[in-house]
Amino acid sequence: MTRAPELQTVEGRIAEMRRRGVPPAFWAPPLRRDPLLMVADKLIAPGARVLAWCSPDGRVRPPINYTRELVLVDREVVADDEDVVSFVFAHPQGAVLRAWRPGAHLDVVLPSGRMRQYSLCGDPDDPFHYRIAVRRIADGSGSLELHGSVHPGARVEIRGPRNAFPLTLAGDDRTGAARRIRFVAGGIGITPILGMMRAADLAGVDWSMVYTGRHRGALPFLDEIACYGDRVRIRTDDESGLPDGEDLVPQLDSNLAVYVCGPPPLLDVVAARVARAPGVELHCERFSPPPIRDGQPFTVQLGRGGRTLDVPADRSVLAVVAEADPSVPYSCRQGFCTTCKVRVLSGAVEHRDTVLNDAQRSQGDMLICVSRAEPGARLVLDMNTGAAAADRTPLPYRWTVLLRYRARLARAAPKRMRLGGVRRVP
Protein backbone atom coordinates (compact mmCIF):
# COMPACT_ATOMS: atom_id res chain seq x y z
CA MET A 1 0.00 0.00 0.00
CA THR A 2 1.25 3.44 -0.87
CA ARG A 3 2.17 5.49 2.14
CA ALA A 4 0.24 8.74 2.44
CA PRO A 5 2.45 11.82 2.34
CA GLU A 6 2.83 14.11 5.28
CA LEU A 7 0.38 16.97 5.34
CA GLN A 8 2.23 20.16 4.51
CA THR A 9 2.02 23.30 6.58
CA VAL A 10 0.32 26.49 5.45
CA GLU A 11 3.70 28.15 5.00
CA GLY A 12 4.90 25.23 2.90
CA ARG A 13 1.92 25.39 0.59
CA ILE A 14 2.30 29.15 0.20
CA ALA A 15 5.96 28.69 -0.73
CA GLU A 16 4.99 26.08 -3.32
CA MET A 17 2.34 28.32 -4.83
CA ARG A 18 4.83 31.18 -5.07
CA ARG A 19 7.33 28.90 -6.79
CA ARG A 20 4.71 27.80 -9.33
CA GLY A 21 3.73 31.37 -10.19
CA VAL A 22 0.27 31.33 -8.59
CA PRO A 23 -1.02 34.95 -8.43
CA PRO A 24 -0.45 36.66 -5.07
CA ALA A 25 -4.20 36.99 -4.53
CA PHE A 26 -4.23 33.30 -3.60
CA TRP A 27 -1.35 33.27 -1.12
CA ALA A 28 -1.36 36.86 0.20
CA PRO A 29 -0.91 37.49 3.95
CA PRO A 30 -4.65 37.30 4.72
CA LEU A 31 -4.50 33.60 3.83
CA ARG A 32 -1.76 33.04 6.40
CA ARG A 33 -3.41 34.62 9.38
CA ASP A 34 -7.15 34.32 8.77
CA PRO A 35 -8.30 32.22 11.77
CA LEU A 36 -11.34 30.87 9.92
CA LEU A 37 -9.20 29.48 7.13
CA MET A 38 -6.74 27.99 9.61
CA VAL A 39 -9.58 26.16 11.38
CA ALA A 40 -11.04 24.99 8.07
CA ASP A 41 -7.62 23.70 7.06
CA LYS A 42 -7.43 21.59 10.23
CA LEU A 43 -10.93 20.20 9.69
CA ILE A 44 -10.32 19.24 6.07
CA ALA A 45 -6.87 17.75 6.68
CA PRO A 46 -8.04 14.33 8.09
CA GLY A 47 -10.26 13.74 5.07
CA ALA A 48 -7.41 14.68 2.78
CA ARG A 49 -5.19 12.07 4.48
CA VAL A 50 -7.80 9.35 3.89
CA LEU A 51 -8.09 10.29 0.22
CA ALA A 52 -4.31 10.28 -0.09
CA TRP A 53 -4.17 6.66 1.16
CA CYS A 54 -6.59 5.70 -1.63
CA SER A 55 -4.63 7.53 -4.34
CA PRO A 56 -2.33 5.27 -6.44
CA ASP A 57 0.69 7.51 -5.99
CA GLY A 58 -0.15 8.91 -2.57
CA ARG A 59 -1.36 12.24 -3.93
CA VAL A 60 -4.88 13.61 -3.94
CA ARG A 61 -5.77 14.21 -7.57
CA PRO A 62 -9.37 15.35 -7.98
CA PRO A 63 -10.61 15.20 -11.55
CA ILE A 64 -9.83 18.60 -13.03
CA ASN A 65 -10.76 18.99 -16.68
CA TYR A 66 -8.94 21.75 -18.50
CA THR A 67 -10.86 21.15 -21.73
CA ARG A 68 -14.48 20.69 -22.74
CA GLU A 69 -15.65 18.06 -25.16
CA LEU A 70 -18.00 19.50 -27.76
CA VAL A 71 -19.75 17.76 -30.62
CA LEU A 72 -19.61 18.87 -34.26
CA VAL A 73 -23.21 19.53 -35.32
CA ASP A 74 -22.71 21.14 -38.72
CA ARG A 75 -20.07 21.30 -41.43
CA GLU A 76 -20.40 23.48 -44.54
CA VAL A 77 -18.24 24.60 -47.47
CA VAL A 78 -18.24 28.42 -47.42
CA ALA A 79 -15.98 29.31 -50.39
CA ASP A 80 -16.46 28.61 -54.08
CA ASP A 81 -13.07 26.92 -54.37
CA GLU A 82 -14.25 24.46 -51.64
CA ASP A 83 -11.03 24.96 -49.67
CA VAL A 84 -12.74 26.71 -46.73
CA VAL A 85 -15.10 24.77 -44.47
CA SER A 86 -17.01 26.06 -41.44
CA PHE A 87 -17.39 23.84 -38.36
CA VAL A 88 -20.17 24.43 -35.82
CA PHE A 89 -19.78 22.91 -32.35
CA ALA A 90 -22.30 22.52 -29.52
CA HIS A 91 -22.37 20.96 -26.05
CA PRO A 92 -23.35 17.25 -26.19
CA GLN A 93 -26.25 17.91 -23.78
CA GLY A 94 -27.24 21.22 -25.36
CA ALA A 95 -25.90 23.29 -22.45
CA VAL A 96 -25.06 26.96 -22.71
CA LEU A 97 -21.48 27.61 -23.82
CA ARG A 98 -19.09 30.17 -22.42
CA ALA A 99 -19.77 33.67 -23.79
CA TRP A 100 -17.29 35.30 -26.16
CA ARG A 101 -16.69 38.66 -27.79
CA PRO A 102 -15.64 39.52 -31.37
CA GLY A 103 -12.00 38.72 -32.05
CA ALA A 104 -11.91 35.67 -29.75
CA HIS A 105 -10.50 32.31 -30.74
CA LEU A 106 -10.68 28.67 -29.64
CA ASP A 107 -7.90 26.21 -28.92
CA VAL A 108 -8.98 23.07 -30.76
CA VAL A 109 -7.41 19.76 -29.72
CA LEU A 110 -7.42 17.59 -32.83
CA PRO A 111 -7.87 13.79 -32.75
CA SER A 112 -4.11 13.37 -33.23
CA GLY A 113 -3.44 15.42 -30.07
CA ARG A 114 -2.24 18.48 -31.97
CA MET A 115 -3.67 21.78 -30.77
CA ARG A 116 -4.45 24.60 -33.17
CA GLN A 117 -6.15 27.98 -32.76
CA TYR A 118 -9.05 29.18 -34.87
CA SER A 119 -10.99 32.44 -34.69
CA LEU A 120 -14.66 32.35 -33.78
CA CYS A 121 -16.75 33.62 -36.69
CA GLY A 122 -20.30 32.88 -35.57
CA ASP A 123 -22.83 35.04 -33.75
CA PRO A 124 -21.65 36.12 -30.25
CA ASP A 125 -25.31 36.31 -29.21
CA ASP A 126 -25.82 32.59 -29.91
CA PRO A 127 -25.21 30.92 -26.51
CA PHE A 128 -25.37 27.35 -27.81
CA HIS A 129 -22.92 27.19 -30.73
CA TYR A 130 -19.32 27.97 -31.64
CA ARG A 131 -18.42 28.39 -35.31
CA ILE A 132 -14.95 28.40 -36.81
CA ALA A 133 -13.78 28.31 -40.44
CA VAL A 134 -10.64 26.59 -41.65
CA ARG A 135 -8.89 26.85 -44.99
CA ARG A 136 -7.27 23.67 -46.24
CA ILE A 137 -3.53 24.23 -46.73
CA ALA A 138 -1.43 21.69 -48.58
CA ASP A 139 1.28 21.53 -45.89
CA GLY A 140 -0.96 22.44 -42.94
CA SER A 141 -1.23 19.42 -40.66
CA GLY A 142 -4.04 20.93 -38.58
CA SER A 143 -6.23 22.01 -41.50
CA LEU A 144 -5.77 18.71 -43.33
CA GLU A 145 -6.78 16.77 -40.22
CA LEU A 146 -9.89 18.87 -39.63
CA HIS A 147 -10.98 18.67 -43.26
CA GLY A 148 -10.26 14.96 -43.56
CA SER A 149 -11.29 13.36 -40.27
CA VAL A 150 -13.70 15.61 -38.34
CA HIS A 151 -17.29 15.09 -39.45
CA PRO A 152 -20.73 15.77 -37.87
CA GLY A 153 -21.13 13.76 -34.69
CA ALA A 154 -17.42 13.78 -33.87
CA ARG A 155 -16.35 14.81 -30.36
CA VAL A 156 -13.60 17.43 -30.18
CA GLU A 157 -11.86 18.91 -27.14
CA ILE A 158 -12.07 22.70 -26.96
CA ARG A 159 -10.22 25.23 -24.78
CA GLY A 160 -11.32 28.84 -24.49
CA PRO A 161 -12.64 31.10 -25.83
CA ARG A 162 -9.77 33.55 -25.38
CA ASN A 163 -9.34 36.96 -26.94
CA ALA A 164 -6.02 38.42 -28.07
CA PHE A 165 -7.67 40.62 -30.74
CA PRO A 166 -10.48 42.52 -28.94
CA LEU A 167 -12.74 45.08 -30.55
CA THR A 168 -13.21 48.44 -28.79
CA LEU A 169 -16.22 50.53 -29.79
CA ALA A 170 -15.86 53.46 -27.35
CA GLY A 171 -15.27 56.94 -28.73
CA ASP A 172 -12.32 59.24 -28.12
CA ASP A 173 -12.49 60.36 -24.48
CA ARG A 174 -10.54 63.54 -25.22
CA THR A 175 -12.74 64.92 -27.99
CA GLY A 176 -15.99 63.09 -27.38
CA ALA A 177 -16.16 62.30 -31.09
CA ALA A 178 -17.42 58.94 -32.28
CA ARG A 179 -14.58 56.84 -33.61
CA ARG A 180 -14.49 55.61 -37.21
CA ILE A 181 -13.43 52.00 -37.82
CA ARG A 182 -11.81 50.53 -40.92
CA PHE A 183 -11.74 46.73 -41.22
CA VAL A 184 -9.24 45.08 -43.57
CA ALA A 185 -9.58 41.33 -44.17
CA GLY A 186 -7.44 39.13 -46.38
CA GLY A 187 -8.85 35.73 -47.35
CA ILE A 188 -9.46 33.54 -44.31
CA GLY A 189 -8.63 36.62 -42.22
CA ILE A 190 -12.35 37.44 -42.51
CA THR A 191 -13.11 35.05 -39.64
CA PRO A 192 -12.43 37.37 -36.65
CA ILE A 193 -13.68 40.39 -38.63
CA LEU A 194 -17.17 38.90 -39.16
CA GLY A 195 -18.15 39.28 -35.52
CA MET A 196 -16.59 42.74 -35.36
CA MET A 197 -18.62 43.93 -38.34
CA ARG A 198 -21.81 42.64 -36.74
CA ALA A 199 -21.02 44.31 -33.41
CA ALA A 200 -20.05 47.64 -35.00
CA ASP A 201 -23.20 47.66 -37.12
CA LEU A 202 -25.45 46.96 -34.11
CA ALA A 203 -23.70 49.70 -32.13
CA GLY A 204 -24.28 52.25 -34.88
CA VAL A 205 -20.56 52.92 -35.36
CA ASP A 206 -19.26 54.51 -38.57
CA TRP A 207 -17.39 51.62 -40.15
CA SER A 208 -16.29 50.27 -43.52
CA MET A 209 -14.34 47.27 -44.76
CA VAL A 210 -12.21 46.14 -47.66
CA TYR A 211 -12.11 42.38 -48.29
CA THR A 212 -9.26 41.23 -50.47
CA GLY A 213 -7.91 37.97 -51.87
CA ARG A 214 -6.49 36.29 -54.93
CA HIS A 215 -9.89 35.80 -56.64
CA ARG A 216 -13.55 35.79 -55.62
CA GLY A 217 -13.70 32.01 -55.48
CA ALA A 218 -11.16 32.01 -52.64
CA LEU A 219 -13.14 34.42 -50.44
CA PRO A 220 -15.40 32.74 -47.85
CA PHE A 221 -18.70 34.11 -46.51
CA LEU A 222 -19.42 36.41 -49.48
CA ASP A 223 -23.14 35.68 -49.20
CA GLU A 224 -23.11 36.45 -45.48
CA ILE A 225 -21.52 39.88 -45.80
CA ALA A 226 -23.65 40.94 -48.79
CA CYS A 227 -26.26 42.35 -46.39
CA TYR A 228 -23.91 45.23 -45.47
CA GLY A 229 -24.11 46.72 -48.97
CA ASP A 230 -21.62 49.40 -49.95
CA ARG A 231 -20.00 49.42 -46.50
CA VAL A 232 -17.98 46.44 -47.76
CA ARG A 233 -15.74 46.57 -50.81
CA ILE A 234 -14.64 43.31 -52.42
CA ARG A 235 -11.21 43.63 -54.03
CA THR A 236 -9.33 40.78 -55.74
CA ASP A 237 -5.80 40.57 -57.08
CA ASP A 238 -6.84 39.05 -60.42
CA GLU A 239 -9.04 42.09 -61.17
CA SER A 240 -7.18 44.98 -59.51
CA GLY A 241 -3.63 43.77 -58.93
CA LEU A 242 -1.84 43.74 -55.59
CA PRO A 243 -3.24 46.34 -53.18
CA ASP A 244 -1.26 49.25 -51.78
CA GLY A 245 -1.72 51.06 -48.48
CA GLU A 246 -3.89 53.85 -49.86
CA ASP A 247 -6.17 51.31 -51.51
CA LEU A 248 -6.69 49.44 -48.25
CA VAL A 249 -6.95 52.49 -45.93
CA PRO A 250 -7.92 55.47 -48.11
CA GLN A 251 -8.48 58.09 -45.39
CA LEU A 252 -6.23 58.72 -42.42
CA ASP A 253 -7.25 60.87 -39.47
CA SER A 254 -6.72 60.89 -35.74
CA ASN A 255 -10.20 59.47 -35.10
CA LEU A 256 -9.60 56.28 -37.07
CA ALA A 257 -9.05 52.74 -35.76
CA VAL A 258 -7.89 50.05 -38.20
CA TYR A 259 -8.48 46.34 -37.57
CA VAL A 260 -6.66 44.05 -39.97
CA CYS A 261 -6.29 40.28 -40.23
CA GLY A 262 -4.69 38.33 -43.03
CA PRO A 263 -1.36 37.14 -44.47
CA PRO A 264 1.89 38.88 -43.44
CA PRO A 265 2.29 40.92 -46.68
CA LEU A 266 -1.15 42.45 -46.13
CA LEU A 267 -0.32 43.35 -42.53
CA ASP A 268 2.96 44.93 -43.60
CA VAL A 269 1.26 47.12 -46.22
CA VAL A 270 -1.37 48.34 -43.75
CA ALA A 271 1.22 48.94 -41.01
CA ALA A 272 3.36 51.02 -43.37
CA ARG A 273 0.34 53.09 -44.35
CA VAL A 274 -0.80 53.70 -40.75
CA ALA A 275 2.74 54.57 -39.62
CA ARG A 276 2.43 57.84 -41.54
CA ALA A 277 -0.47 58.95 -39.31
CA PRO A 278 0.57 58.80 -35.63
CA GLY A 279 -2.97 59.36 -34.33
CA VAL A 280 -4.42 56.26 -36.02
CA GLU A 281 -4.92 53.11 -33.94
CA LEU A 282 -3.76 49.83 -35.50
CA HIS A 283 -5.04 46.45 -34.28
CA CYS A 284 -3.90 43.34 -36.11
CA GLU A 285 -3.94 39.57 -35.88
CA ARG A 286 -1.72 37.34 -37.96
CA PHE A 287 -2.12 33.67 -38.84
CA SER A 288 1.62 33.07 -39.08
CA PRO A 289 4.63 33.66 -36.83
CA PRO A 290 5.79 37.27 -36.59
CA PRO A 291 9.08 38.10 -38.31
CA ILE A 292 12.17 37.97 -36.14
CA ARG A 293 13.75 41.38 -35.76
CA ASP A 294 17.28 42.04 -34.48
CA GLY A 295 17.90 38.33 -34.02
CA GLN A 296 21.34 36.91 -33.23
CA PRO A 297 22.40 33.31 -33.88
CA PHE A 298 22.89 31.04 -30.88
CA THR A 299 22.69 27.36 -29.92
CA VAL A 300 20.28 25.25 -27.88
CA GLN A 301 20.83 21.85 -26.33
CA LEU A 302 17.93 19.41 -25.93
CA GLY A 303 18.53 18.31 -22.34
CA ARG A 304 21.79 17.86 -20.52
CA GLY A 305 24.06 15.83 -22.78
CA GLY A 306 21.48 15.94 -25.57
CA ARG A 307 21.63 17.04 -29.15
CA THR A 308 22.88 20.58 -29.89
CA LEU A 309 21.12 22.67 -32.51
CA ASP A 310 22.09 25.94 -34.18
CA VAL A 311 19.38 28.64 -34.22
CA PRO A 312 19.96 31.15 -37.06
CA ALA A 313 19.29 34.85 -36.61
CA ASP A 314 16.09 34.71 -38.69
CA ARG A 315 14.52 31.55 -37.20
CA SER A 316 12.84 30.77 -33.88
CA VAL A 317 13.87 28.13 -31.39
CA LEU A 318 10.53 26.39 -31.99
CA ALA A 319 11.10 26.14 -35.75
CA VAL A 320 14.54 24.60 -35.26
CA VAL A 321 13.48 22.25 -32.46
CA ALA A 322 10.37 21.11 -34.37
CA GLU A 323 12.56 19.95 -37.25
CA ALA A 324 14.57 17.77 -34.87
CA ASP A 325 11.54 16.66 -32.82
CA PRO A 326 8.20 16.96 -34.69
CA SER A 327 6.29 15.96 -31.54
CA VAL A 328 7.12 19.22 -29.72
CA PRO A 329 3.80 20.89 -28.77
CA TYR A 330 2.92 24.34 -30.11
CA SER A 331 -0.09 26.31 -31.25
CA CYS A 332 -0.13 30.10 -31.79
CA ARG A 333 3.62 30.58 -32.56
CA GLN A 334 3.17 34.21 -31.48
CA GLY A 335 3.94 34.12 -27.77
CA PHE A 336 0.57 34.19 -26.04
CA CYS A 337 -0.89 30.66 -25.79
CA THR A 338 2.04 29.15 -23.73
CA THR A 339 1.64 25.73 -25.40
CA CYS A 340 5.37 25.64 -26.29
CA LYS A 341 6.57 26.67 -22.82
CA VAL A 342 9.64 24.72 -21.63
CA ARG A 343 12.01 24.89 -18.68
CA VAL A 344 15.49 26.27 -19.28
CA LEU A 345 18.12 24.31 -17.34
CA SER A 346 20.94 26.76 -18.03
CA GLY A 347 21.63 29.86 -20.09
CA ALA A 348 20.36 33.44 -20.16
CA VAL A 349 17.02 33.96 -21.92
CA GLU A 350 15.98 37.05 -23.86
CA HIS A 351 12.23 37.02 -23.19
CA ARG A 352 10.17 38.44 -26.04
CA ASP A 353 6.72 37.39 -24.87
CA THR A 354 4.21 39.42 -22.86
CA VAL A 355 2.57 36.48 -21.07
CA LEU A 356 5.00 35.02 -18.54
CA ASN A 357 5.22 36.78 -15.19
CA ASP A 358 8.38 37.44 -13.20
CA ALA A 359 7.95 34.31 -11.07
CA GLN A 360 7.69 32.07 -14.13
CA ARG A 361 10.70 33.67 -15.77
CA SER A 362 12.79 33.44 -12.62
CA GLN A 363 12.12 29.72 -12.36
CA GLY A 364 13.34 29.22 -15.94
CA ASP A 365 10.17 29.14 -18.05
CA MET A 366 10.53 30.18 -21.69
CA LEU A 367 8.25 30.37 -24.74
CA ILE A 368 10.42 28.97 -27.49
CA CYS A 369 8.20 30.34 -30.28
CA VAL A 370 9.33 33.95 -29.75
CA SER A 371 11.98 34.19 -27.00
CA ARG A 372 15.68 33.75 -27.70
CA ALA A 373 19.01 33.48 -25.95
CA GLU A 374 20.89 36.56 -24.94
CA PRO A 375 23.84 37.34 -27.24
CA GLY A 376 26.59 34.79 -26.75
CA ALA A 377 24.48 32.53 -24.49
CA ARG A 378 23.75 28.85 -24.91
CA LEU A 379 20.44 27.44 -23.73
CA VAL A 380 19.93 23.96 -22.33
CA LEU A 381 16.23 23.08 -22.61
CA ASP A 382 14.39 20.47 -20.56
CA MET A 383 12.23 19.05 -23.36
CA ASN A 384 11.03 16.04 -21.36
CA THR A 385 9.47 17.82 -18.37
CA GLY A 386 8.18 21.11 -19.69
CA ALA A 387 6.91 23.82 -17.42
CA ALA A 388 3.52 23.61 -19.09
CA ALA A 389 3.06 20.07 -17.81
CA ALA A 390 4.15 21.06 -14.31
CA ASP A 391 1.65 23.90 -14.22
CA ARG A 392 -1.19 21.48 -14.89
CA THR A 393 -0.51 19.56 -11.67
CA PRO A 394 -3.44 20.45 -9.40
CA LEU A 395 -3.10 21.68 -5.87
CA PRO A 396 -4.17 19.23 -3.14
CA TYR A 397 -7.95 19.06 -2.84
CA ARG A 398 -8.15 20.59 0.62
CA TRP A 399 -6.33 23.69 -0.62
CA THR A 400 -8.64 23.97 -3.60
CA VAL A 401 -11.53 24.06 -1.12
CA LEU A 402 -9.76 26.66 1.02
CA LEU A 403 -9.09 28.98 -1.89
CA ARG A 404 -12.71 28.80 -3.00
CA TYR A 405 -13.84 29.43 0.58
CA ARG A 406 -11.58 32.47 0.87
CA ALA A 407 -12.90 33.90 -2.41
CA ARG A 408 -16.49 33.42 -1.21
CA LEU A 409 -15.74 35.22 2.06
CA ALA A 410 -14.10 38.09 0.19
CA ARG A 411 -17.19 38.54 -2.01
CA ALA A 412 -19.57 38.41 0.96
CA ALA A 413 -17.57 40.75 3.23
CA PRO A 414 -18.36 44.48 3.47
CA LYS A 415 -16.09 46.70 1.38
CA ARG A 416 -14.23 48.06 4.39
CA MET A 417 -13.66 44.65 6.00
CA ARG A 418 -10.17 43.17 5.70
CA LEU A 419 -10.18 39.42 6.23
CA GLY A 420 -7.42 38.33 8.53
CA GLY A 421 -6.26 41.89 9.09
CA VAL A 422 -6.01 43.96 12.21
CA ARG A 423 -8.95 46.19 11.46
CA ARG A 424 -12.48 44.83 11.14
CA VAL A 425 -15.51 46.95 10.60
CA PRO A 426 -18.81 45.23 11.49
Side-chain angles (χ1 to χ4, degrees):
M1 180 180 292
T2 304
R3 180 180 181 273
E6 290 188 15
L7 296 176
Q8 297 184 17
T9 64
V10 172
E11 297 293 337
R13 294 305 304 171
I14 291 175
E16 180 179 343
M17 285 189 287
R18 293 187 65 177
R19 178 183 61 80
R20 290 171 51 185
V22 176
F26 293 101
W27 50 261
L31 182 61
R32 306 188 190 198
R33 56 179 182 265
D34 190 330
L36 294 178
L37 293 182
M38 301 300 294
V39 172
D41 185 39
K42 297 296 183 183
L43 293 177
I44 295 174
R49 180 178 290 277
V50 173
L51 292 176
W53 277 100
C54 301
S55 179
D57 60 353
R59 299 185 64 185
V60 181
R61 292 180 181 270
I64 298 180
N65 188 13
Y66 291 87
T67 65
R68 285 169 297 161
E69 190 177 65
L70 302 185
V71 60
L72 181 66
V73 297
D74 185 54
R75 170 179 169 144
E76 179 185 3
V77 176
V78 292
D80 291 343
D81 63 4
E82 299 187 353
D83 281 342
V84 182
V85 174
S86 73
F87 299 85
V88 179
F89 298 96
H91 193 278
Q93 283 76 46
V96 173
L97 301 177
R98 183 181 174 186
W100 59 280
R101 304 180 75 175
H105 66 271
L106 295 177
D107 296 332
V108 180
V109 182
L110 304 176
S112 65
R114 300 185 182 97
M115 186 170 70
R116 296 293 184 266
Q117 294 176 321
Y118 300 103
S119 296
L120 284 161
C121 59
D123 185 356
D125 294 328
D126 180 358
F128 301 104
H129 300 96
Y130 288 152
R131 184 179 73 166
I132 62 174
V134 182
R135 175 176 294 281
R136 180 174 53 219
I137 302 175
D139 58 349
S141 56
S143 65
L144 292 178
E145 186 172 355
L146 268 174
H147 278 245
S149 61
V150 180
H151 301 280
R155 301 289 183 97
V156 178
E157 291 185 341
I158 299 293
R159 299 179 184 179
R162 294 188 294 166
N163 202 331
F165 187 40
L167 172 68
T168 303
L169 296 176
D172 191 327
D173 294 335
R174 295 167 298 178
T175 64
R179 186 169 56 173
R180 186 168 59 88
I181 296 180
R182 176 69 168 180
F183 298 116
V184 181
I188 195 61
I190 189 64
T191 49
I193 302 295
L194 278 176
M196 294 183 177
M197 296 164 55
R198 187 179 295 111
D201 199 60
L202 291 175
V205 176
D206 180 12
W207 67 273
S208 62
M209 186 187 80
V210 58
Y211 188 14
T212 183
R214 297 187 305 275
H215 53 84
R216 292 185 69 91
L219 300 179
F221 301 113
L222 285 177
D223 294 340
E224 193 165 315
I225 65 177
C227 64
Y228 296 113
D230 57 5
R231 282 181 178 265
V232 177
R233 177 192 172 204
I234 307 299
R235 185 196 184 286
T236 57
D237 298 345
D238 61 343
E239 296 177 356
S240 306
L242 295 177
D244 57 21
E246 188 173 357
D247 200 13
L248 298 174
V249 187
Q251 299 178 357
L252 294 174
D253 57 70
S254 59
N255 204 33
L256 176 67
V258 179
Y259 290 80
V260 56
C261 183
L266 179 72
L267 271 61
D268 293 340
V269 170
V270 174
R273 168 69 170 167
V274 172
R276 302 170 187 173
V280 176
E281 293 182 13
L282 176 62
H283 308 264
C284 61
E285 183 172 61
R286 60 175 67 241
F287 292 149
S288 61
I292 298 174
R293 304 186 187 281
D294 303 324
Q296 297 291 333
F298 59 97
T299 60
V300 296
Q301 186 174 350
L302 306 184
R304 299 190 188 280
R307 182 178 177 183
T308 299
L309 305 174
D310 294 324
V311 181
D314 59 347
R315 300 192 69 193
S316 67
V317 178
L318 174 62
V320 174
V321 171
E323 287 184 353
D325 180 11
S327 65
V328 61
Y330 68 90
S331 183
C332 75
R333 297 179 294 170
Q334 300 177 49
F336 61 81
C337 76
T338 73
T339 304
C340 67
K341 182 169 62 174
V342 301
R343 184 66 50 80
V344 177
L345 300 177
S346 66
V349 179
E350 179 187 323
H351 293 282
R352 297 192 175 190
D353 68 276
T354 58
V355 177
L356 299 182
N357 57 35
D358 292 339
Q360 292 171 312
R361 293 181 178 183
S362 64
Q363 70 183 7
D365 291 349
M366 172 187 179
L367 300 188
I368 60 175
C369 64
V370 292
S371 295
R372 308 179 64 81
E374 292 187 356
R378 173 185 178 135
L379 301 180
V380 179
L381 307 179
D382 187 356
M383 303 301 297
N384 296 320
T385 55
D391 283 349
R392 290 194 293 268
T393 303
L395 291 171
Y397 178 69
R398 65 191 183 102
W399 271 84
T400 303
V401 174
L402 283 175
L403 294 176
R404 291 177 180 173
Y405 173 67
R406 178 178 182 266
R408 184 177 300 176
L409 285 179
R411 288 193 299 267
K415 291 184 178 180
R416 294 181 61 195
M417 177 178 284
R418 298 295 182 265
L419 293 177
V422 177
R423 178 184 178 186
R424 291 178 182 269
V425 178

